[in-house]
Structure formats: C-alpha cells, structure tokens
Amino acid sequence: MIGAAERYARAEQHSRHPLTARFAQLQRFELDPFQFAGCHALEDGRSVLVAAPTGAGKTIVGEFAIHLAMLEPPGGARPAKAFYTTPMKALSNQKFRELVDVYGRDEVGLLTGDVSINADARILVMTTEVLRNMLYAGSAALRGLRFVIMDEVHYLADRFRGAVWEEVIIHLPAEVRLVSLSATVSNAEEFGDWLDTVRGDTEVIVSEVRPVPLEQHVLVRGDLLPLFDDRAGVATAQVNQELMRLRSVKGPAFESNRRAQQLRSAVETTHRRPHRGGRRPVRPSNVRRIERLDRPDVVRLLERASLLPAIFFIFSRAGCDGAVQQVRRAGVRLTTAEERAEIRALVDECTRMLRDEDLAVLGYWEWRENLERGVAAHHAGLLPAFKEVVEDLFQRKLVKAVFATETLALGINMPARTVVLEKLEKFNGEARVAITAGEYTQLTGRAGRRGIDVEGHAVIQWTEGLDPQAVAALASRRTYPLNSSFRPTYNMAVNLIDGFGRGRAREILESSFAQFQADRAVVGLARQVKDAETSLAGYEKAMSCDRGDFADYSRLRRELSELEKLNRADRTASAKTRKRRQDDIQSLRRRLQRHSCHGCPDREAHARWAERYWRLRRQTDKLRRQIEARTGTVARVFDRVVDVLAALGYVEVDEGGGARLTAAGATMRRIYGERDLLVAEALRCGTWRELDPPALAALACCLVYEPRRDESGPGEHGLPRGPFRVALSRTQDLWARLDDLERDHHLPGSEPVATGLAQAMSSWARGAALDRVLDEADLAAGDFVRWAKQTIDLLDQLSLVAEPALAATARRALESVRRGIVAYSSV
C-alpha cells in the first residue's frame, strides 16, 4: 500500500505529464519509476539517456518517443517521424515486427542495407549505419524527423563499428530529440555529460533495479546450491560457505558436508579398494574432480524444478550443436503432442519459401524434429531464417531449452526463466580468457520474464578449479565502463570536409566522445567555439554595408585606435619611433577617409556591431588556441588521414591548410566500409573494369570477408580463373601501396585482402547448388549468408558510384548473389 503523500505526488506528476499518463494506461505493466522519468523528460522536450539492466524495459521510453511523434497529425509537408536504430539486422527485424503489430504496416518501415520496406513511413527501423549514411547524404527522409531512438547505444564501445554511433549523435540536426538506451554502465553520468554537451538538454536516468530479482546458483552434481549466503545477500557478496568448503576441503573436514557420502560412494565404486574403518577420506584432488551432470540430466533437473524455459550459454557453435544432439540422443522430450503439432505448423509456414533441395542441405528435417522436442541451438552459423524461428518459438514458450553462443545476449528479446553458464571463460580468438563482469551481467540478464516469473535464475555449473569467490565478484559487479572506440576514417573525412570544411571538421571531431574522455574540457570549448561562430556570422551580417567591405573598414579603425592608444601610453619611446608611429597614424586616417564605407550614414551603427564582432573574435581565437594546446588526439589522426587523401589526390590542400574535395573525393563520399580507400582507388584506376558479374561478386567478397585466425588462403588453384586473377593481383598491389602510405603517415594500415571465400562466391553467383557452395566455402549456412549480404552491400555501393559499365556489372552481380537462402527473409 502506498501512502497518501505518494499518491498525491503521483497524481501531481500525471497532471503535469498527461501524455505520459495516457501512454502508461495502454501498457500491459505498470511503468517503473525510471520509465516514468524517461517519458516525463521526453514530454518536457528534453533528450534522454536511460541506462538500466537487460530486461528492465528500457525500450518503453523509446516507444513513448514514437508515440509522441505519431500524436502529431500526419498531414502537412513535413509529417513528424521517429527513427529506431539498432546495432544488428536481427534486432531491426524484430523491432520492425513489434512496431507493425502496434501501428500497422502502412506506418512502419525497415531499412537494413539489404532490405528496404516502406522507406517513406513515419516510423523507420534501421541499423545505425543506415542512419549515418542518410545523414551524410542529406537524405530527404530526414525531413520531419522528431525523435531518434538509439537502442543498445553502449555499442559505441565496439572497436569495429562503434564510431558510427558517435557520428550519428554528432551529426543529427539540433532539433531532433535523442533517446539513448544503454545497458547499465558505470560511467553513465560521464556519457550523459557528453550527450548534454553535443546534443543540448539531456536527462540521465540510471536504474540498477531488475524488475525480476535474480537468484544465483551453482550446480554441483545434482544440487543447486545458492551462490550467496541467504542471510547476507548479493549486496555483501558473502559467498555460501558450503561452496567454499567444496573448494578448499582437506581430508575428514569434508565429511561434514551433506554431499560427502555421495562423493565417497562414487570414489569407492571407482577404485574398489577397501579402507580401514570402512571410510575413505576425500582428498582435495577428488573434490576438484566432482563430475558434471550431462546436459540431458541438467535439462531434466531444470524441468523437475520448474525452471524451464532455459538458455544454456556455450561459447562455441560446435558445442551448441553438440548439446542439442546429446539431448536428442538421450530421448529428452519437453513438449506435449499439441505443442509439437503447433511447432510443426509454424516451422513449415516460416520456411515454405525455401526449396526442398536446400532444406535437405541445411539439415531441416532433423532441425525441425529437435524443435518439436522443445530444444534448439542458436548461433551465428544458423541460417537467419532458422534463428528467427527459434526466437519466435522460444517467445511462444514452445521451445524450452536453447543452447546459444553469447551473441544471443546482445539485445534480442528472448527472456528465459533460467540462464545456465557451463563455463566462465571463452576463446577470444587468441586465448581462453575469463568473461568480464559486463559479459556476465549481459548473459544472466536474460533470466526472468517480466509478468511471468517471480524471480529469474542464473545457474553456474561447477568445473574443476572454480572459485566461488570470483563468481560472486562477477555477480556483484553489475556495471562496466563505456569507452569510446571512435577514429576518423577516409569516408568520414571526405564527408566532413565536403559538408563543413577542414577547420570545422576538426572542431566536430573535437566534440567526439573519444576526445571528451581524453580531455573533457575540449568538448565544452569546442561547443563554445561553435556557438560563437553562429554569433559571429550574425554580427558580420548586421555590420554589412551596401557601400563596401565594412569588415575591412572596421579593421582599419581598430588598427588606428590601438596605435593611438599605444602612442599615448608609451612615453619612453625615442623621437624616431614616435615620428614613425605618427606617420602610420596619419596614413591610417587617410585610408579611413578614402574608404567607401566612411561616408555611410549608418557608419556608427555598423561600427557598434563591428566592435562586438571583433571582441567575440578575440575570445574565439583564444578558445581555439586553448583547444590546440590540449591533447587533440582525434583531430591529429584526422590530419594524418587528410594528408593521405591529399597525397592520393582525393583532396586539395591550400596554403592556409584548408581542403576541398576533388572529383575522386566526391566519389569516395558514397563508399562506406573498412576498405573505403582501397575501393575508391580500384575504381579510379579501372582495376575491375574487365570483370563479369560472378568475378566482380567474388572480388567484392574478398574486400568484405574476414577469415578466421587459423584460416589459410586457398592458393592459386583455389581461386576463380580468367580476368578475376588479374584484377585480384592488381587489387593486392594497390593494397600494398596504400598500406605503405598509411604507415608512412603513422596510421595503422589494414589487413591484406582475404581470398578464402572467393571461389565459393563466384560459384554461387554463377548459379551453383547450395551444397556445392557450402562445401567450397567450408562455412555454415548462416556465415555464408552473412558474408553474401555484406558482399551485396558493397556491390550496391559500386552500382551507385562506379562508371556506367562497371555499375551495370555490379547490379547484375548483386542480383546473381541475392538468390535462394541469401534472398530469403521472413520479415
């Protein structure tokens, strides 16, 4: 029961925020305080940063922004719009479907690079890269934009793609309100301060309260032991002493543990050796080898304890697929006959557009049977359509156990009652490393379904050498820092120079979160310079004179005034010096009298504006010097990028350091991706002019494909023949020259062109069967589709910027790749 004072306070808030109150009434759950706070900020006209745990309901605030936009009447030249951006196409697809259910297909569109649906809709869901490209291109779709929701904004820490988030935040029009939704990060206030600096009035709302409490367990053989002492709780991180005894027990001291008898029995059964007194002490080495339950047994245990549905996080794709097979071989079935029939009907409907021969290659029938048992794998190697089916069935509570890699934790709406972590370490591409506190929070954040579960459950399986204290530390630290990964790229540089000029571009980069973190003061100074430039432009306009250049006239007046002041103040100057000054003063007076503006009747009014102009100009120049004296790391990298572009002829730099784009630079404006400079050079040199569509598709694939660390190239015999090899050789030579040039300018360079998927992409573009292509690629279907779609993205860019003949080839290549499983989309 809430008291009268709190009821009055809520009523008062509702009266001040009627739109929020009405929106809240439409929701299935009563809004939490942080959700109300976010909606109130938006209704008051502010931007907002919401940092809250996974599953807490941050997206409600974003949905309220869409609601506000849609309240405006649709008529008029610029109907109000809202953009919802996500870091991944899968998230965009999911959000698109959710918003269509609310607003209908006519009002919602989807843009993900390879998919464009209803692009003129008032609500557009897109990947963040798409919005960045729209901003640089000055897209007409930006007209009427009121709100941008950036879901999973903490992705700006991603070292490969994070810069895109900062580019969008910096370049969005000032009138657009920004809704930033983040996982709980330890420096949310710092990030919010930066947003407030570059976007204006931004409210920071941080919540660390999970809507569904999380119970932490360690699975030791058949027992779920609490991680924390029930009497102490998570806040004190007091570890369950029973777990500590399991780790550190020596000899008979372990006998008092309630698991000792079972462990002793297991050991004696194994060794079959009698012991004096009939008792065998359990040595530490035996304790560390506590046998793990097989996966089928863990699933059955969770089923008996009513802890399904569950997500098992296994940090390898092979492990996920193997787990499903283990459960299948053990005969586990988690569904009723009615559920199995429903699963079969849904799966068949969702995959009906795929050809039977492709379904056979993809192992469809076994996959469907596993789904009917209520179990599934979820990882990047799965065909996207298959992953979406798994997600849909899990949300419908038809699939009860999903074995997934950590990619599932990145924002997809798949909450479970229980999350199981088999290990607390993963392979990062170079070595096995412990997961971080942030990763632990992200993974276990899937446990607990709001409105369904009273509590969520995180289960850690006991492994040899497990340290309960370390697990408790992971579980207790629920935050991690958000650090910028921003760095200037060639495409970014030419777009900034084209839109703002080199000097202004440097100031924009000084406003990045990367620079903010390096030196927080620089951002504030850069904002002052930006505001001052707006005022200077206004003053310059106000002092303009129809008789001539009043700025030049005012400069002469200032020189005269300063020289007269100096002459009066300096009584110690020699007669020769005073004579020279007097001559200069007389010369300036004559020049003033002869100036065309001297006889203007509004001369003194203009002069007052000129005085304000020069006073602010002095202050601005001082600010610029302060900025230059600080770290300026991002701007210095930008200068190196510009130097490379100038050396190659993409920009021309004048004597004053200013830069303008050449025709080649204008082409680069529309080339996005890690290989922007290499692509632009290849186009300018005509390197790919002789390629047919399959060969061009194969070469485009070489530019986007990132091989596994242990993957070696296919060698000459494994590559497409004919003009492809000539073009590839020239492209590799281009890359080597560019890499040397970049390193000469103290830039990091890039990875060599990767040819591992060239033959498979060429075969696919020539119409080869799926089984042959996957065999040539040595990739899972989902991986091949991912690289094929990135190849399509690059081919699409080529079709827009290349010379007409190559552009036509690129369009045909694109269509030849976009077929079969690559073309299929359940959206």
Side-chain angles (χ1 to χ4, degrees):
M1 290 289 291
I2 61 174
E6 187 173 349
R7 283 199 301 273
Y8 176 79
R10 287 189 182 183
E12 186 73 11
Q13 283 280 12
H14 290 340
S15 68
R16 291 203 304 270
H17 298 95
L19 299 180
T20 299
R22 286 199 290 272
F23 176 76
Q25 292 173 354
L26 301 174
Q27 307 309 307
R28 293 183 297 127
F29 310 113
E30 182 179 353
L31 297 192
D32 291 331
F34 85 90
Q35 294 168 325
F36 272 118
C39 294
H40 290 163
L42 289 174
E43 190 171 350
D44 290 340
R46 299 196 295 277
S47 292
V48 64
L49 165 65
V50 180
T54 301
K58 297 183 290 289
T59 55
I60 284 288
V61 182
E63 288 163 10
F64 179 64
I66 295 172
H67 177 77
L68 288 178
M70 297 304 286
L71 286 178
E72 295 191 28
R78 300 176 64 183
K81 294 181 179 178
F83 289 177
Y84 196 109
T85 74
T86 76
M88 295 185 294
K89 293 178 181 179
L91 288 176
S92 292
N93 294 343
Q94 188 176 76
K95 199 65 194 178
F96 169 73
R97 291 190 293 267
E98 290 175 4
L99 291 172
V100 164
D101 290 342
V102 177
Y103 294 100
R105 280 196 172 269
D106 291 342
E107 297 287 7
V108 186
L110 176 68
L111 300 173
T112 60
D114 60 320
V115 174
S116 177
I117 299 173
N118 200 13
D120 296 324
R122 293 177 64 192
I123 304 169
L124 281 180
V125 183
M126 62 189 70
T127 51
T128 316
E129 281 86 353
V130 170
L131 179 53
R132 185 271 311 271
N133 299 351
M134 291 170 69
L135 288 166
Y136 279 150
S139 170
L142 296 169
R143 287 200 296 268
L145 183 59
R146 298 286 191 275
F147 297 95
V148 167
I149 300 99
M150 301 192 78
D151 203 355
E152 310 285 340
V153 75
H154 51 273
Y155 248 81
L156 67 76
D158 183 88
R159 66 190 183 98
F160 296 111
R161 300 171 56 212
V164 175
W165 273 256
E166 293 190 47
E167 288 179 83
V168 168
I169 291 169
I170 291 170
H171 292 304
L172 274 175
E175 68 272 12
V176 175
R177 297 293 86 191
L178 187 65
V179 182
S180 304
L181 307 177
S182 171
T184 307
V185 292
S186 53
N187 59 336
E189 288 76 12
E190 179 188 38
F191 183 50
D193 287 346
W194 174 70
L195 288 173
D196 194 70
T197 303
V198 296
R199 298 296 315 162
D201 193 4
T202 300
E203 182 155 339
V204 179
I205 297 165
V206 178
S207 173
E208 297 190 30
V209 179
R210 282 178 51 98
V212 181
L214 182 66
E215 294 290 324
Q216 314 257 3
H217 313 274
V218 177
L219 177 59
V220 184
R221 291 179 62 89
D223 279 351
L224 286 172
L225 303 181
L227 173 60
F228 294 101
D229 190 319
D230 293 338
R231 296 163 297 179
V234 178
T236 60
Q238 180 64 50
V239 180
N240 184 347
Q241 291 305 300
E242 190 170 359
L243 291 173
M244 297 303 293
R245 285 194 296 272
L246 276 172
R247 182 171 187 263
S248 60
V249 66
K250 293 185 179 180
F254 184 57
E255 300 302 314
S256 61
N257 187 275
R258 65 190 182 88
R259 299 292 303 151
Q261 296 294 330
Q262 296 176 27
L263 289 171
R264 186 189 315 109
S265 174
V267 172
E268 290 177 351
T269 300
T270 302
H271 292 276
R272 301 291 184 190
R273 292 211 314 239
H275 298 277
R276 283 178 294 188
R279 298 170 67 91
R280 174 190 173 94
V282 181
R283 299 190 302 274
S285 59
N286 298 96
V287 173
R288 287 198 297 271
R289 287 196 212 101
I290 293 175
E291 293 181 12
R292 292 160 57 95
L293 283 184
D294 289 337
R295 285 163 178 154
D297 293 330
V298 177
V299 172
R300 292 188 181 105
L301 183 152
L302 296 179
E303 184 183 28
R304 289 194 302 270
S306 298
L307 293 179
L308 296 179
I311 299 172
F312 292 72
F313 282 111
I314 301 172
F315 301 117
S316 95
R317 299 179 187 181
C320 293
D321 293 332
V324 172
Q325 294 307 315
Q326 279 181 277
V327 174
R328 172 195 176 99
R329 287 194 299 269
V332 173
R333 193 183 297 277
L334 305 172
T335 54
T336 64
E338 293 77 12
E339 288 173 330
R340 289 193 288 277
E342 187 177 354
I343 290 169
R344 189 179 306 112
L346 286 168
V347 172
D348 288 346
E349 173 62 24
C350 289
T351 56
R352 61 186 172 81
M353 299 298 292
L354 295 173
R355 302 187 307 171
D356 286 347
E357 52 267 40
D358 289 348
L359 291 175
V361 172
L362 297 168
Y364 170 79
W365 312 109
E366 184 178 312
W367 173 72
R368 190 183 72 174
E369 184 184 337
N370 291 333
L371 291 176
E372 290 177 27
R373 291 175 175 271
V375 297
H378 188 289
H379 54 71
L382 277 181
L383 190 69
F386 283 18
K387 281 198 294 185
E388 289 170 9
V389 168
V390 172
E391 293 159 14
D392 185 35
L393 293 176
F394 194 79
Q395 290 167 17
R396 293 172 185 257
K397 309 183 190 67
L398 295 172
V399 164
K400 319 294 176 109
V402 170
F403 298 89
T405 56
E406 69 268 34
T407 54
L408 186 147
L410 300 177
I412 296 207
N413 183 25
M414 278 184 65
R417 177 165 294 173
T418 304
V419 163
V420 179
L421 300 182
E422 293 195 348
K423 294 181 180 178
L424 294 177
E425 62 177 22
K426 65 176 184 177
F427 185 68
N428 67 355
E430 297 177 349
R432 298 206 68 83
V433 296
I435 66 173
T436 65
E439 289 168 333
Y440 183 92
T441 301
Q442 192 86 348
L443 296 169
T444 58
R446 293 283 151 212
R449 298 163 299 176
R450 188 168 186 171
I452 301 173
D453 299 321
V454 176
E455 59 197 12
H457 298 268
V459 176
I460 315 302
Q461 284 199 265
W462 184 276
T463 57
E464 184 176 350
L466 183 76
D467 181 0
Q469 198 72 55
V471 179
L474 279 178
S476 303
R477 293 200 309 273
R478 294 176 176 267
T479 58
Y480 52 98
L482 180 60
N483 294 313
S484 172
S485 61
F486 185 83
R487 61 180 178 82
T489 65
Y490 297 105
N491 171 271
M492 185 194 303
V494 294
N495 273 291
L496 287 173
I497 289 171
D498 184 63
F500 306 100
R502 185 177 184 177
R504 179 79 184 98
R506 292 182 95 258
E507 292 167 6
I508 288 171
L509 294 174
E510 293 285 6
S511 297
S512 68
F513 187 45
Q515 186 60 54
F516 186 82
Q517 290 190 304
D519 184 353
R520 292 186 62 166
V522 167
V523 175
L525 295 173
R527 178 71 177 271
Q528 291 179 51
V529 169
K530 180 181 176 182
D531 292 343
E533 283 183 336
T534 302
S535 298
L536 285 170
Y539 293 164
E540 199 166 9
K541 185 176 180 181
M543 73 179 182
S544 63
C545 178
D546 58 3
R547 299 197 177 193
D549 183 357
F550 201 88
D552 181 61
Y553 181 76
S554 68
R555 180 179 56 78
L556 292 174
R557 282 180 59 140
R558 287 179 59 79
E559 287 182 26
L560 177 61
S561 174
E562 289 172 3
L563 193 56
E564 288 177 335
K565 188 186 301 182
L566 176 62
N567 202 40
R568 287 194 301 271
D570 187 7
R571 300 292 184 184
T572 61
S574 65
K576 185 177 180 180
T577 300
R578 293 178 65 82
K579 174 69 169 56
R580 190 181 69 249
R581 287 176 184 164
Q582 285 292 349
D583 292 343
D584 291 341
I585 288 171
Q586 292 303 320
S587 174
L588 285 170
R589 284 174 177 166
R590 286 192 296 271
R591 289 170 64 188
L592 272 177
Q593 290 169 359
R594 289 196 299 266
H595 199 284
S596 58
C597 293
H598 189 68
C600 176
D602 297 322
R603 183 185 68 193
E604 293 309 310
H606 295 328
R608 285 192 291 274
W609 284 110
E611 184 59 33
R612 295 176 187 174
Y613 174 87
W614 289 110
R615 189 183 307 122
L616 184 58
R617 179 71 176 268
R618 280 200 309 270
Q619 296 171 2
T620 306
D621 289 344
K622 183 178 180 182
L623 291 174
R624 290 183 197 278
R625 288 193 296 272
Q626 290 180 31
I627 290 173
E628 290 171 4
R630 295 180 185 272
T631 54
T633 51
V634 177
R636 282 202 296 271
V637 174
F638 171 73
D639 287 338
R640 294 169 192 160
V641 167
V642 173
D643 289 344
V644 170
L645 291 170
L648 293 169
Y650 288 93
V651 301
E652 292 178 350
V653 179
D654 58 35
E655 293 181 357
R660 68 176 185 85
L661 300 190
T662 63
T667 297
M668 185 184 280
R669 287 184 60 244
R670 294 184 289 167
I671 300 173
Y672 303 97
E674 291 289 316
R675 303 281 192 182
D676 48 7
L677 184 60
L678 179 57
V679 171
E681 275 293 276
L683 290 178
R684 189 166 67 164
C685 298
T687 308
W688 305 331
R689 197 172 290 149
E690 305 302 321
L691 297 178
D692 64 3
L696 183 58
L699 205 132
C701 181
C702 292
L703 299 182
V704 299
Y705 179 57
E706 297 173 9
R708 298 184 296 269
R709 290 180 180 272
D710 58 347
E711 181 180 326
S712 58
E716 281 289 315
H717 66 282
L719 294 174
R721 299 183 180 279
F724 171 84
R725 296 195 181 187
V726 176
L728 175 65
S729 177
R730 291 176 179 169
T731 303
Q732 289 171 326
D733 289 343
L734 264 181
W735 168 81
R737 292 202 299 272
L738 294 177
D739 191 64
D740 288 342
L741 181 63
E742 287 176 311
R743 295 182 191 280
D744 288 345
H745 285 83
H746 307 290
L747 292 170
S750 59
E751 292 296 318
V753 174
T755 59
L757 203 53
Q759 181 59 56
M761 193 58 66
S762 173
S763 297
W764 180 254
R766 293 184 190 280
L770 179 62
D771 56 348
R772 173 188 162 187
V773 170
L774 293 182
D775 185 58
E776 287 180 345
D778 190 26
L779 287 177
D783 291 320
F784 178 74
V785 169
R786 184 170 77 256
W787 295 122
K789 289 194 172 185
Q790 291 195 32
T791 300
I792 288 172
D793 284 346
L794 178 53
L795 290 171
D796 187 47
Q797 293 179 42
L798 296 181
S799 73
L800 298 174
V801 302
E803 60 188 33
L806 183 58
T809 303
R811 179 57 56 187
R812 293 197 301 275
L814 184 158
E815 295 302 334
S816 68
V817 174
R818 191 163 56 195
R819 67 179 182 88
I821 64 170
V822 177
Y824 177 79
S825 172
S826 64
V827 173

